[in-house]
């Protein structure tokens, strides 16, 4: 990591600070970056840019997507993808001293759905991953009794979940963890509808 950054940064003070950040979390192994640190996402992208360049310039792959340490590659040939996987495994090990996850790195048809960034993505739609769903439920249970905290977490989760088919799931969540809020929203909706109806004229025959 530091060697890659040295190629782009000349300022000795900045390099010293970067070295301090990198060393703050890896005294024993000499590897890794501080989890949760504001610089960690930037460092991860800088480090894995080496993979991006290898995939695009050496392997000449057009259909490639990466977000942080999650990446996807597409092809019409399953055999070709297995060959590319072997090439990437070798590149990561030799060039970046990294290993692919033994269970997550796999070749499969996209019609079965792709687990990516908290969603299970299909050709025409996406849904929440089961693991995403379970983590949120566990998090909400830890906040039982604190309606303000639950409401904030729920709002954040809604912003995320609204990117996929999740309406029914969110309704069930709200009913379970924020029943009073759900009841108020339903009552408000009914009141609005009644006001609309009451403002209309009608003929009684």
């Amino acid at each position: 990591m530091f060697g890659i950054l040295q190629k782009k940064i000349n300022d000795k003070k900045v390099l010293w600070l970067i070295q301090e950040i990198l060393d703050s979390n890896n005294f024993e192994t000499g590897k890794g970056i501080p989890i949760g640190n504001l610089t960690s996402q930037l460092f991860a992208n800088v480090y894995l840019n080496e993979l991006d360049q290898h995939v695009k310039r050496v392997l000449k792959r057009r259909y490639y997507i990466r977000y942080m340490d999650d990446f996807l590659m597409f092809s019409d040939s399953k055999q070709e993808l297995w060959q590319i996987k072997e090439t990437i495994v070798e590149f990561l090990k030799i060039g970046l001293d990294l290993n692919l996850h033994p269970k997550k790195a796999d070749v499969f048809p996209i019609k079965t759905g792709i687990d990516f960034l908290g969603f299970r993505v299909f050709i025409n739609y996406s849904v929440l991953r089961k693991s995403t769903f379970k983590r949120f439920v566990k998090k909400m249970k830890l906040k039982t009794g604190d309606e303000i905290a639950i409401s904030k977490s729920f709002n954040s989760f809604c912003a995320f979940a609204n990117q996929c088919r999740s309406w029914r799931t969110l309704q069930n969540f709200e009913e379970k963890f924020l029943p009073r809020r759900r009841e108020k929203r339903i009552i408000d909706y009914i009141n609005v509808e009644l006001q609309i109806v009451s403002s209309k004229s009608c003929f009684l025959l």
Side-chain angles (χ1 to χ4, degrees):
M1 166 65 77
F2 190 70
I4 294 172
L5 292 169
Q6 277 184 308
K7 297 176 183 178
K8 302 293 183 179
I9 300 173
N10 295 321
D11 192 303
K12 293 183 178 180
K13 292 182 179 179
V14 173
L15 289 172
W16 171 83
L17 180 60
I18 291 173
Q19 188 70 70
E20 289 291 307
I21 295 172
L22 293 175
D23 290 343
S24 66
N25 195 56
N26 57 10
F27 293 110
E28 296 181 1
T29 64
K31 299 179 181 180
I33 53 180
I35 297 175
N37 196 300
L38 292 176
T39 58
S40 295
Q41 290 189 353
L42 173 62
F43 288 160
N45 276 326
V46 169
Y47 199 55
L48 287 176
N49 176 62
E50 301 296 309
L51 172 63
D52 298 340
Q53 298 304 319
H54 180 74
V55 170
K56 302 301 287 188
R57 299 179 184 276
V58 179
L59 301 181
K60 306 293 184 182
R61 304 309 303 171
R62 179 179 181 182
Y63 302 110
Y64 166 76
I65 301 170
R66 181 180 67 81
Y67 180 81
M68 302 303 293
D69 59 349
D70 292 322
F71 65 90
L72 302 172
M73 196 172 299
F74 303 90
S75 173
D76 294 327
S77 170
K78 183 184 292 187
Q79 182 179 358
E80 181 182 39
L81 287 175
W82 281 114
Q83 292 173 347
I84 291 172
K85 179 185 175 182
E86 291 179 4
T87 302
I88 289 177
V89 167
E90 182 179 2
F91 173 81
L92 289 175
K93 185 62 179 177
I94 297 174
L96 300 176
D97 196 20
L98 295 174
N99 296 304
L100 291 180
H101 194 287
K103 294 183 179 180
K104 293 181 179 180
D106 198 7
V107 176
F108 53 86
I110 60 174
K111 65 182 180 181
T112 61
I114 303 168
D115 285 342
F116 193 59
L117 305 182
F119 301 103
R120 189 162 185 83
V121 183
F122 295 89
I123 295 175
N124 295 317
Y125 67 96
S126 58
V127 296
L128 289 171
R129 290 176 58 183
K130 290 183 179 180
S131 58
T132 304
F133 173 88
K134 290 179 179 179
R135 280 198 304 271
F136 178 71
V137 171
K138 184 177 181 180
K139 181 178 180 181
M140 295 294 270
K141 286 181 177 179
L142 293 174
K143 298 181 179 181
T144 300
D146 190 342
E147 190 169 340
I148 294 177
I150 290 176
S151 183
K152 289 181 178 179
S153 294
F154 181 76
N155 290 339
S156 298
F157 186 74
C158 283
F160 172 76
N162 280 333
Q163 307 304 313
C164 69
R165 287 186 178 180
S166 61
W167 186 84
R168 178 60 62 188
T169 299
L170 293 178
Q171 294 297 309
N172 292 337
F173 274 169
E174 187 178 47
E175 185 175 1
K176 180 176 181 178
F177 295 108
L178 293 166
R180 290 192 297 177
R181 167 171 150 168
R182 177 171 169 76
E183 290 171 3
K184 182 180 184 304
R185 189 162 56 81
I186 293 174
I187 292 172
D188 290 343
Y189 173 78
I190 293 173
N191 287 334
V192 170
E193 291 299 309
L194 288 174
Q195 289 176 10
I196 294 174
V197 172
S198 64
S199 65
K200 295 182 181 296
S201 299
C202 67
F203 292 94
L204 180 61
L205 299 177

